[in-house]
PDB file of all heavy atoms in Angstrom:
ATOM      1  N   ALA A   1       0.831  -1.204   0.000  1.00  0.00           N
ATOM      2  CA  ALA A   1       0.000   0.000   0.000  1.00  0.00           C
ATOM      3  C   ALA A   1       0.866   1.254   0.000  1.00  0.00           C
ATOM      4  O   ALA A   1       0.530   2.258  -0.642  1.00  0.00           O
ATOM      5  CB  ALA A   1      -0.927  -0.018   1.214  1.00  0.00           C
ATOM      6  N   ASP A   2       1.988   1.215   0.701  1.00  0.00           N
ATOM      7  CA  ASP A   2       2.887   2.376   0.727  1.00  0.00           C
ATOM      8  C   ASP A   2       3.466   2.669  -0.657  1.00  0.00           C
ATOM      9  O   ASP A   2       3.716   3.831  -1.001  1.00  0.00           O
ATOM     10  CB  ASP A   2       4.018   2.151   1.731  1.00  0.00           C
ATOM     11  CG  ASP A   2       3.562   2.335   3.169  1.00  0.00           C
ATOM     12  OD1 ASP A   2       2.504   2.983   3.366  1.00  0.00           O
ATOM     13  OD2 ASP A   2       4.242   1.836   4.074  1.00  0.00           O
ATOM     14  N   ASP A   3       3.704   1.624  -1.435  1.00  0.00           N
ATOM     15  CA  ASP A   3       4.187   1.839  -2.806  1.00  0.00           C
ATOM     16  C   ASP A   3       3.163   2.642  -3.607  1.00  0.00           C
ATOM     17  O   ASP A   3       3.521   3.558  -4.355  1.00  0.00           O
ATOM     18  CB  ASP A   3       4.453   0.503  -3.493  1.00  0.00           C
ATOM     19  CG  ASP A   3       5.630  -0.239  -2.906  1.00  0.00           C
ATOM     20  OD1 ASP A   3       6.614   0.420  -2.512  1.00  0.00           O
ATOM     21  OD2 ASP A   3       5.577  -1.488  -2.830  1.00  0.00           O
ATOM     22  N   TYR A   4       1.902   2.308  -3.458  1.00  0.00           N
ATOM     23  CA  TYR A   4       0.854   3.032  -4.177  1.00  0.00           C
ATOM     24  C   TYR A   4       0.726   4.465  -3.660  1.00  0.00           C
ATOM     25  O   TYR A   4       0.509   5.396  -4.431  1.00  0.00           O
ATOM     26  CB  TYR A   4      -0.480   2.297  -4.040  1.00  0.00           C
ATOM     27  CG  TYR A   4      -0.598   1.092  -4.942  1.00  0.00           C
ATOM     28  CD1 TYR A   4      -0.194  -0.172  -4.510  1.00  0.00           C
ATOM     29  CD2 TYR A   4      -1.127   1.212  -6.226  1.00  0.00           C
ATOM     30  CE1 TYR A   4      -0.300  -1.280  -5.333  1.00  0.00           C
ATOM     31  CE2 TYR A   4      -1.232   0.103  -7.054  1.00  0.00           C
ATOM     32  CZ  TYR A   4      -0.817  -1.142  -6.608  1.00  0.00           C
ATOM     33  OH  TYR A   4      -0.925  -2.236  -7.431  1.00  0.00           O
ATOM     34  N   ARG A   5       0.838   4.634  -2.346  1.00  0.00           N
ATOM     35  CA  ARG A   5       0.751   5.988  -1.789  1.00  0.00           C
ATOM     36  C   ARG A   5       1.879   6.865  -2.315  1.00  0.00           C
ATOM     37  O   ARG A   5       1.655   8.012  -2.715  1.00  0.00           O
ATOM     38  CB  ARG A   5       0.791   5.931  -0.257  1.00  0.00           C
ATOM     39  CG  ARG A   5       0.768   7.307   0.404  1.00  0.00           C
ATOM     40  CD  ARG A   5       0.898   7.197   1.906  1.00  0.00           C
ATOM     41  NE  ARG A   5       2.057   6.413   2.312  1.00  0.00           N
ATOM     42  CZ  ARG A   5       3.312   6.859   2.294  1.00  0.00           C
ATOM     43  NH1 ARG A   5       3.593   8.076   1.852  1.00  0.00           N
ATOM     44  NH2 ARG A   5       4.299   6.075   2.693  1.00  0.00           N
ATOM     45  N   ARG A   6       3.097   6.320  -2.345  1.00  0.00           N
ATOM     46  CA  ARG A   6       4.228   7.100  -2.854  1.00  0.00           C
ATOM     47  C   ARG A   6       4.050   7.402  -4.340  1.00  0.00           C
ATOM     48  O   ARG A   6       4.430   8.471  -4.816  1.00  0.00           O
ATOM     49  CB  ARG A   6       5.537   6.352  -2.602  1.00  0.00           C
ATOM     50  CG  ARG A   6       5.986   6.383  -1.142  1.00  0.00           C
ATOM     51  CD  ARG A   6       7.400   5.853  -0.986  1.00  0.00           C
ATOM     52  NE  ARG A   6       7.456   4.421  -1.224  1.00  0.00           N
ATOM     53  CZ  ARG A   6       7.336   3.500  -0.251  1.00  0.00           C
ATOM     54  NH1 ARG A   6       7.154   3.889   1.001  1.00  0.00           N
ATOM     55  NH2 ARG A   6       7.411   2.212  -0.530  1.00  0.00           N
ATOM     56  N   ALA A   7       3.465   6.458  -5.089  1.00  0.00           N
ATOM     57  CA  ALA A   7       3.202   6.704  -6.510  1.00  0.00           C
ATOM     58  C   ALA A   7       2.233   7.871  -6.671  1.00  0.00           C
ATOM     59  O   ALA A   7       2.406   8.724  -7.557  1.00  0.00           O
ATOM     60  CB  ALA A   7       2.634   5.446  -7.162  1.00  0.00           C
ATOM     61  N   GLY A   8       1.203   7.924  -5.821  1.00  0.00           N
ATOM     62  CA  GLY A   8       0.269   9.042  -5.860  1.00  0.00           C
ATOM     63  C   GLY A   8       0.945  10.362  -5.553  1.00  0.00           C
ATOM     64  O   GLY A   8       0.672  11.388  -6.203  1.00  0.00           O
ATOM     65  N   GLU A   9       1.849  10.363  -4.584  1.00  0.00           N
ATOM     66  CA  GLU A   9       2.580  11.593  -4.253  1.00  0.00           C
ATOM     67  C   GLU A   9       3.431  12.056  -5.427  1.00  0.00           C
ATOM     68  O   GLU A   9       3.482  13.252  -5.748  1.00  0.00           O
ATOM     69  CB  GLU A   9       3.457  11.355  -3.021  1.00  0.00           C
ATOM     70  CG  GLU A   9       2.670  11.142  -1.738  1.00  0.00           C
ATOM     71  CD  GLU A   9       3.572  10.836  -0.555  1.00  0.00           C
ATOM     72  OE1 GLU A   9       4.818  10.892  -0.723  1.00  0.00           O
ATOM     73  OE2 GLU A   9       3.049  10.529   0.527  1.00  0.00           O
ATOM     74  N   ARG A  10       4.089  11.098  -6.100  1.00  0.00           N
ATOM     75  CA  ARG A  10       4.922  11.463  -7.254  1.00  0.00           C
ATOM     76  C   ARG A  10       4.061  12.042  -8.383  1.00  0.00           C
ATOM     77  O   ARG A  10       4.445  13.029  -9.018  1.00  0.00           O
ATOM     78  CB  ARG A  10       5.692  10.241  -7.758  1.00  0.00           C
ATOM     79  CG  ARG A  10       6.852   9.821  -6.882  1.00  0.00           C
ATOM     80  CD  ARG A  10       7.760   8.831  -7.609  1.00  0.00           C
ATOM     81  NE  ARG A  10       7.051   7.601  -7.975  1.00  0.00           N
ATOM     82  CZ  ARG A  10       6.944   6.543  -7.178  1.00  0.00           C
ATOM     83  NH1 ARG A  10       7.481   6.576  -5.959  1.00  0.00           N
ATOM     84  NH2 ARG A  10       6.312   5.459  -7.584  1.00  0.00           N
ATOM     85  N   GLN A  11       2.919  11.424  -8.637  1.00  0.00           N
ATOM     86  CA  GLN A  11       2.052  11.928  -9.695  1.00  0.00           C
ATOM     87  C   GLN A  11       1.596  13.352  -9.408  1.00  0.00           C
ATOM     88  O   GLN A  11       1.599  14.212 -10.301  1.00  0.00           O
ATOM     89  CB  GLN A  11       0.844  11.000  -9.852  1.00  0.00           C
ATOM     90  CG  GLN A  11       1.191   9.629 -10.413  1.00  0.00           C
ATOM     91  CD  GLN A  11      -0.028   8.741 -10.567  1.00  0.00           C
ATOM     92  OE1 GLN A  11      -1.160   9.224 -10.540  1.00  0.00           O
ATOM     93  NE2 GLN A  11       0.187   7.437 -10.730  1.00  0.00           N
ATOM     94  N   LEU A  12       1.205  13.617  -8.183  1.00  0.00           N
ATOM     95  CA  LEU A  12       0.752  14.961  -7.809  1.00  0.00           C
ATOM     96  C   LEU A  12       1.890  15.968  -7.888  1.00  0.00           C
ATOM     97  O   LEU A  12       1.708  17.108  -8.344  1.00  0.00           O
ATOM     98  CB  LEU A  12       0.161  14.936  -6.401  1.00  0.00           C
ATOM     99  CG  LEU A  12      -1.198  14.227  -6.281  1.00  0.00           C
ATOM    100  CD1 LEU A  12      -1.522  13.969  -4.817  1.00  0.00           C
ATOM    101  CD2 LEU A  12      -2.296  15.054  -6.937  1.00  0.00           C
ATOM    102  N   GLU A  13       3.079  15.555  -7.465  1.00  0.00           N
ATOM    103  CA  GLU A  13       4.231  16.461  -7.504  1.00  0.00           C
ATOM    104  C   GLU A  13       4.587  16.834  -8.935  1.00  0.00           C
ATOM    105  O   GLU A  13       4.813  18.014  -9.251  1.00  0.00           O
ATOM    106  CB  GLU A  13       5.421  15.817  -6.801  1.00  0.00           C
ATOM    107  CG  GLU A  13       6.654  16.716  -6.732  1.00  0.00           C
ATOM    108  CD  GLU A  13       7.774  16.095  -5.925  1.00  0.00           C
ATOM    109  OE1 GLU A  13       7.595  14.989  -5.384  1.00  0.00           O
ATOM    110  OE2 GLU A  13       8.851  16.737  -5.843  1.00  0.00           O
ATOM    111  N   VAL A  14       4.630  15.850  -9.821  1.00  0.00           N
ATOM    112  CA  VAL A  14       4.967  16.119 -11.224  1.00  0.00           C
ATOM    113  C   VAL A  14       3.897  16.989 -11.869  1.00  0.00           C
ATOM    114  O   VAL A  14       4.210  17.934 -12.608  1.00  0.00           O
ATOM    115  CB  VAL A  14       5.134  14.789 -11.995  1.00  0.00           C
ATOM    116  CG1 VAL A  14       5.239  15.044 -13.491  1.00  0.00           C
ATOM    117  CG2 VAL A  14       6.363  14.039 -11.498  1.00  0.00           C
ATOM    118  N   TYR A  15       2.633  16.707 -11.583  1.00  0.00           N
ATOM    119  CA  TYR A  15       1.540  17.508 -12.148  1.00  0.00           C
ATOM    120  C   TYR A  15       1.630  18.952 -11.644  1.00  0.00           C
ATOM    121  O   TYR A  15       1.491  19.908 -12.422  1.00  0.00           O
ATOM    122  CB  TYR A  15       0.188  16.903 -11.754  1.00  0.00           C
ATOM    123  CG  TYR A  15      -0.990  17.661 -12.307  1.00  0.00           C
ATOM    124  CD1 TYR A  15      -1.464  17.409 -13.582  1.00  0.00           C
ATOM    125  CD2 TYR A  15      -1.631  18.634 -11.552  1.00  0.00           C
ATOM    126  CE1 TYR A  15      -2.545  18.107 -14.104  1.00  0.00           C
ATOM    127  CE2 TYR A  15      -2.711  19.343 -12.061  1.00  0.00           C
ATOM    128  CZ  TYR A  15      -3.163  19.078 -13.335  1.00  0.00           C
ATOM    129  OH  TYR A  15      -4.234  19.791 -13.847  1.00  0.00           O
ATOM    130  N   TYR A  16       1.864  19.114 -10.358  1.00  0.00           N
ATOM    131  CA  TYR A  16       1.956  20.450  -9.771  1.00  0.00           C
ATOM    132  C   TYR A  16       3.073  21.248 -10.430  1.00  0.00           C
ATOM    133  O   TYR A  16       2.877  22.409 -10.831  1.00  0.00           O
ATOM    134  CB  TYR A  16       2.209  20.311  -8.268  1.00  0.00           C
ATOM    135  CG  TYR A  16       2.222  21.613  -7.500  1.00  0.00           C
ATOM    136  CD1 TYR A  16       1.099  22.042  -6.811  1.00  0.00           C
ATOM    137  CD2 TYR A  16       3.374  22.400  -7.431  1.00  0.00           C
ATOM    138  CE1 TYR A  16       1.105  23.231  -6.087  1.00  0.00           C
ATOM    139  CE2 TYR A  16       3.396  23.586  -6.725  1.00  0.00           C
ATOM    140  CZ  TYR A  16       2.256  24.000  -6.051  1.00  0.00           C
ATOM    141  OH  TYR A  16       2.265  25.175  -5.348  1.00  0.00           O
ATOM    142  N   GLN A  17       4.244  20.663 -10.531  1.00  0.00           N
ATOM    143  CA  GLN A  17       5.387  21.383 -11.095  1.00  0.00           C
ATOM    144  C   GLN A  17       5.187  21.723 -12.572  1.00  0.00           C
ATOM    145  O   GLN A  17       5.700  22.731 -13.059  1.00  0.00           O
ATOM    146  CB  GLN A  17       6.653  20.548 -10.910  1.00  0.00           C
ATOM    147  CG  GLN A  17       7.073  20.423  -9.444  1.00  0.00           C
ATOM    148  CD  GLN A  17       8.205  19.439  -9.235  1.00  0.00           C
ATOM    149  OE1 GLN A  17       8.496  18.607 -10.116  1.00  0.00           O
ATOM    150  NE2 GLN A  17       8.833  19.491  -8.075  1.00  0.00           N
ATOM    151  N   ARG A  18       4.403  20.919 -13.276  1.00  0.00           N
ATOM    152  CA  ARG A  18       4.170  21.185 -14.698  1.00  0.00           C
ATOM    153  C   ARG A  18       3.184  22.336 -14.915  1.00  0.00           C
ATOM    154  O   ARG A  18       3.360  23.134 -15.845  1.00  0.00           O
ATOM    155  CB  ARG A  18       3.634  19.923 -15.377  1.00  0.00           C
ATOM    156  CG  ARG A  18       3.283  20.129 -16.852  1.00  0.00           C
ATOM    157  CD  ARG A  18       2.947  18.826 -17.544  1.00  0.00           C
ATOM    158  NE  ARG A  18       2.602  19.023 -18.942  1.00  0.00           N
ATOM    159  CZ  ARG A  18       2.403  18.042 -19.815  1.00  0.00           C
ATOM    160  NH1 ARG A  18       2.528  16.780 -19.425  1.00  0.00           N
ATOM    161  NH2 ARG A  18       2.092  18.309 -21.067  1.00  0.00           N
ATOM    162  N   TYR A  19       2.163  22.452 -14.048  1.00  0.00           N
ATOM    163  CA  TYR A  19       1.086  23.399 -14.331  1.00  0.00           C
ATOM    164  C   TYR A  19       1.040  24.610 -13.403  1.00  0.00           C
ATOM    165  O   TYR A  19       0.256  25.535 -13.668  1.00  0.00           O
ATOM    166  CB  TYR A  19      -0.261  22.680 -14.281  1.00  0.00           C
ATOM    167  CG  TYR A  19      -0.430  21.692 -15.406  1.00  0.00           C
ATOM    168  CD1 TYR A  19      -0.235  20.325 -15.184  1.00  0.00           C
ATOM    169  CD2 TYR A  19      -0.761  22.103 -16.692  1.00  0.00           C
ATOM    170  CE1 TYR A  19      -0.381  19.406 -16.211  1.00  0.00           C
ATOM    171  CE2 TYR A  19      -0.903  21.190 -17.720  1.00  0.00           C
ATOM    172  CZ  TYR A  19      -0.709  19.841 -17.473  1.00  0.00           C
ATOM    173  OH  TYR A  19      -0.850  18.944 -18.502  1.00  0.00           O
ATOM    174  N   VAL A  20       1.810  24.598 -12.313  1.00  0.00           N
ATOM    175  CA  VAL A  20       1.822  25.763 -11.441  1.00  0.00           C
ATOM    176  C   VAL A  20       2.214  27.004 -12.258  1.00  0.00           C
ATOM    177  O   VAL A  20       3.083  26.918 -13.127  1.00  0.00           O
ATOM    178  CB  VAL A  20       2.785  25.531 -10.245  1.00  0.00           C
ATOM    179  CG1 VAL A  20       4.233  25.536 -10.691  1.00  0.00           C
ATOM    180  CG2 VAL A  20       2.538  26.511  -9.124  1.00  0.00           C
ATOM    181  N   PRO A  21       1.568  28.150 -12.099  1.00  0.00           N
ATOM    182  CA  PRO A  21       0.577  28.561 -11.085  1.00  0.00           C
ATOM    183  C   PRO A  21      -0.883  28.316 -11.497  1.00  0.00           C
ATOM    184  O   PRO A  21      -1.787  29.001 -10.999  1.00  0.00           O
ATOM    185  CB  PRO A  21       0.857  30.048 -10.933  1.00  0.00           C
ATOM    186  CG  PRO A  21       1.259  30.482 -12.314  1.00  0.00           C
ATOM    187  CD  PRO A  21       2.023  29.310 -12.893  1.00  0.00           C
ATOM    188  N   PHE A  22      -1.135  27.397 -12.416  1.00  0.00           N
ATOM    189  CA  PHE A  22      -2.493  26.964 -12.763  1.00  0.00           C
ATOM    190  C   PHE A  22      -3.337  28.105 -13.336  1.00  0.00           C
ATOM    191  O   PHE A  22      -4.518  28.252 -13.022  1.00  0.00           O
ATOM    192  CB  PHE A  22      -3.191  26.353 -11.540  1.00  0.00           C
ATOM    193  CG  PHE A  22      -2.371  25.293 -10.867  1.00  0.00           C
ATOM    194  CD1 PHE A  22      -1.673  25.563  -9.693  1.00  0.00           C
ATOM    195  CD2 PHE A  22      -2.238  24.033 -11.433  1.00  0.00           C
ATOM    196  CE1 PHE A  22      -0.892  24.598  -9.078  1.00  0.00           C
ATOM    197  CE2 PHE A  22      -1.459  23.053 -10.828  1.00  0.00           C
ATOM    198  CZ  PHE A  22      -0.780  23.333  -9.653  1.00  0.00           C
ATOM    199  N   ASP A  23      -2.695  28.891 -14.199  1.00  0.00           N
ATOM    200  CA  ASP A  23      -3.391  30.024 -14.807  1.00  0.00           C
ATOM    201  C   ASP A  23      -3.499  29.898 -16.327  1.00  0.00           C
ATOM    202  O   ASP A  23      -3.762  30.878 -17.022  1.00  0.00           O
ATOM    203  CB  ASP A  23      -2.669  31.332 -14.449  1.00  0.00           C
ATOM    204  CG  ASP A  23      -1.202  31.329 -14.892  1.00  0.00           C
ATOM    205  OD1 ASP A  23      -0.733  30.296 -15.440  1.00  0.00           O
ATOM    206  OD2 ASP A  23      -0.524  32.350 -14.673  1.00  0.00           O
ATOM    207  N   ARG A  24      -3.294  28.676 -16.859  1.00  0.00           N
ATOM    208  CA  ARG A  24      -3.377  28.495 -18.308  1.00  0.00           C
ATOM    209  C   ARG A  24      -4.816  28.427 -18.790  1.00  0.00           C
ATOM    210  O   ARG A  24      -5.077  28.550 -19.991  1.00  0.00           O
ATOM    211  CB  ARG A  24      -2.649  27.214 -18.726  1.00  0.00           C
ATOM    212  CG  ARG A  24      -1.207  27.162 -18.276  1.00  0.00           C
ATOM    213  CD  ARG A  24      -0.533  25.883 -18.756  1.00  0.00           C
ATOM    214  NE  ARG A  24       0.743  25.667 -18.098  1.00  0.00           N
ATOM    215  CZ  ARG A  24       1.559  24.658 -18.364  1.00  0.00           C
ATOM    216  NH1 ARG A  24       1.217  23.760 -19.283  1.00  0.00           N
ATOM    217  NH2 ARG A  24       2.703  24.521 -17.713  1.00  0.00           N
ATOM    218  N   ASP A  25      -5.740  28.173 -17.868  1.00  0.00           N
ATOM    219  CA  ASP A  25      -7.150  28.114 -18.227  1.00  0.00           C
ATOM    220  C   ASP A  25      -7.979  28.546 -17.034  1.00  0.00           C
ATOM    221  O   ASP A  25      -7.462  28.720 -15.924  1.00  0.00           O
ATOM    222  CB  ASP A  25      -7.539  26.689 -18.669  1.00  0.00           C
ATOM    223  CG  ASP A  25      -7.178  25.644 -17.627  1.00  0.00           C
ATOM    224  OD1 ASP A  25      -7.619  25.769 -16.466  1.00  0.00           O
ATOM    225  OD2 ASP A  25      -6.425  24.705 -17.958  1.00  0.00           O
ATOM    226  N   HIS A  26      -9.268  28.702 -17.271  1.00  0.00           N
ATOM    227  CA  HIS A  26     -10.187  29.074 -16.202  1.00  0.00           C
ATOM    228  C   HIS A  26     -11.056  27.868 -15.862  1.00  0.00           C
ATOM    229  O   HIS A  26     -11.732  27.308 -16.732  1.00  0.00           O
ATOM    230  CB  HIS A  26     -11.075  30.244 -16.649  1.00  0.00           C
ATOM    231  CG  HIS A  26     -12.144  30.592 -15.660  1.00  0.00           C
ATOM    232  ND1 HIS A  26     -11.870  31.152 -14.440  1.00  0.00           N
ATOM    233  CD2 HIS A  26     -13.501  30.428 -15.708  1.00  0.00           C
ATOM    234  CE1 HIS A  26     -12.993  31.341 -13.779  1.00  0.00           C
ATOM    235  NE2 HIS A  26     -14.006  30.906 -14.531  1.00  0.00           N
ATOM    236  N   THR A  27     -11.031  27.455 -14.607  1.00  0.00           N
ATOM    237  CA  THR A  27     -11.811  26.294 -14.177  1.00  0.00           C
ATOM    238  C   THR A  27     -13.272  26.682 -14.012  1.00  0.00           C
ATOM    239  O   THR A  27     -13.613  27.571 -13.231  1.00  0.00           O
ATOM    240  CB  THR A  27     -11.261  25.728 -12.865  1.00  0.00           C
ATOM    241  OG1 THR A  27      -9.924  25.254 -13.074  1.00  0.00           O
ATOM    242  CG2 THR A  27     -12.125  24.572 -12.369  1.00  0.00           C
ATOM    243  N   LEU A  28     -14.136  25.980 -14.755  1.00  0.00           N
ATOM    244  CA  LEU A  28     -15.578  26.233 -14.692  1.00  0.00           C
ATOM    245  C   LEU A  28     -16.268  25.318 -13.686  1.00  0.00           C
ATOM    246  O   LEU A  28     -17.253  25.712 -13.061  1.00  0.00           O
ATOM    247  CB  LEU A  28     -16.202  26.022 -16.076  1.00  0.00           C
ATOM    248  CG  LEU A  28     -15.664  26.916 -17.196  1.00  0.00           C
ATOM    249  CD1 LEU A  28     -16.165  26.427 -18.549  1.00  0.00           C
ATOM    250  CD2 LEU A  28     -16.085  28.361 -16.964  1.00  0.00           C
ATOM    251  N   ALA A  29     -15.782  24.107 -13.556  1.00  0.00           N
ATOM    252  CA  ALA A  29     -16.405  23.151 -12.640  1.00  0.00           C
ATOM    253  C   ALA A  29     -15.399  22.068 -12.277  1.00  0.00           C
ATOM    254  O   ALA A  29     -14.518  21.733 -13.069  1.00  0.00           O
ATOM    255  CB  ALA A  29     -17.646  22.519 -13.281  1.00  0.00           C
ATOM    256  N   VAL A  30     -15.547  21.527 -11.067  1.00  0.00           N
ATOM    257  CA  VAL A  30     -14.701  20.437 -10.589  1.00  0.00           C
ATOM    258  C   VAL A  30     -15.614  19.351 -10.018  1.00  0.00           C
ATOM    259  O   VAL A  30     -16.511  19.635  -9.220  1.00  0.00           O
ATOM    260  CB  VAL A  30     -13.711  20.917  -9.504  1.00  0.00           C
ATOM    261  CG1 VAL A  30     -12.811  19.773  -9.062  1.00  0.00           C
ATOM    262  CG2 VAL A  30     -12.880  22.076 -10.014  1.00  0.00           C
ATOM    263  N   GLU A  31     -15.382  18.093 -10.442  1.00  0.00           N
ATOM    264  CA  GLU A  31     -16.202  16.968  -9.985  1.00  0.00           C
ATOM    265  C   GLU A  31     -17.687  17.302 -10.124  1.00  0.00           C
ATOM    266  O   GLU A  31     -18.482  17.125  -9.201  1.00  0.00           O
ATOM    267  CB  GLU A  31     -15.862  16.594  -8.541  1.00  0.00           C
ATOM    268  CG  GLU A  31     -14.435  16.096  -8.352  1.00  0.00           C
ATOM    269  CD  GLU A  31     -14.156  14.783  -9.087  1.00  0.00           C
ATOM    270  OE1 GLU A  31     -15.120  14.012  -9.290  1.00  0.00           O
ATOM    271  OE2 GLU A  31     -12.985  14.543  -9.446  1.00  0.00           O
ATOM    272  N   ARG A  32     -18.053  17.762 -11.315  1.00  0.00           N
ATOM    273  CA  ARG A  32     -19.424  18.217 -11.575  1.00  0.00           C
ATOM    274  C   ARG A  32     -20.278  17.076 -12.138  1.00  0.00           C
ATOM    275  O   ARG A  32     -19.908  16.431 -13.115  1.00  0.00           O
ATOM    276  CB  ARG A  32     -19.385  19.380 -12.564  1.00  0.00           C
ATOM    277  CG  ARG A  32     -20.718  19.818 -13.143  1.00  0.00           C
ATOM    278  CD  ARG A  32     -21.632  20.445 -12.104  1.00  0.00           C
ATOM    279  NE  ARG A  32     -22.902  20.845 -12.693  1.00  0.00           N
ATOM    280  CZ  ARG A  32     -23.166  22.077 -13.139  1.00  0.00           C
ATOM    281  NH1 ARG A  32     -22.242  23.026 -13.066  1.00  0.00           N
ATOM    282  NH2 ARG A  32     -24.347  22.366 -13.649  1.00  0.00           N
ATOM    283  N   ARG A  33     -21.427  16.848 -11.507  1.00  0.00           N
ATOM    284  CA  ARG A  33     -22.385  15.870 -12.018  1.00  0.00           C
ATOM    285  C   ARG A  33     -23.177  16.498 -13.154  1.00  0.00           C
ATOM    286  O   ARG A  33     -23.671  17.628 -13.031  1.00  0.00           O
ATOM    287  CB  ARG A  33     -23.328  15.427 -10.912  1.00  0.00           C
ATOM    288  CG  ARG A  33     -24.412  14.446 -11.341  1.00  0.00           C
ATOM    289  CD  ARG A  33     -25.274  14.091 -10.135  1.00  0.00           C
ATOM    290  NE  ARG A  33     -26.352  13.169 -10.471  1.00  0.00           N
ATOM    291  CZ  ARG A  33     -27.576  13.553 -10.835  1.00  0.00           C
ATOM    292  NH1 ARG A  33     -27.868  14.843 -10.936  1.00  0.00           N
ATOM    293  NH2 ARG A  33     -28.504  12.646 -11.106  1.00  0.00           N
TER     294      ARG A  33
END
C-alpha cells in the first residue's frame, strides 16, 4: 500500500510542477455531475 501511496505523491508532484501557477485556463467546474 505504501508503494501506491508514494506513486500518488509522485504523480501529484509532477503535475503540480508542470502546471503551477495553474493560470493556463479558467476552471468552470470540478467533480461536476
Side-chain angles (χ1 to χ4, degrees):
D2 284 341
D3 291 324
Y4 282 90
R5 177 184 53 77
R6 286 190 290 268
E9 292 177 5
R10 286 194 299 272
Q11 291 181 16
L12 289 166
E13 183 175 358
V14 170
Y15 181 85
Y16 185 98
Q17 292 172 343
R18 177 172 179 173
Y19 292 101
V20 70
F22 309 102
D23 58 358
R24 304 182 193 183
D25 54 56
H26 174 69
T27 297
L28 300 169
V30 182
E31 296 295 333
R32 169 68 180 265
R33 178 180 179 268

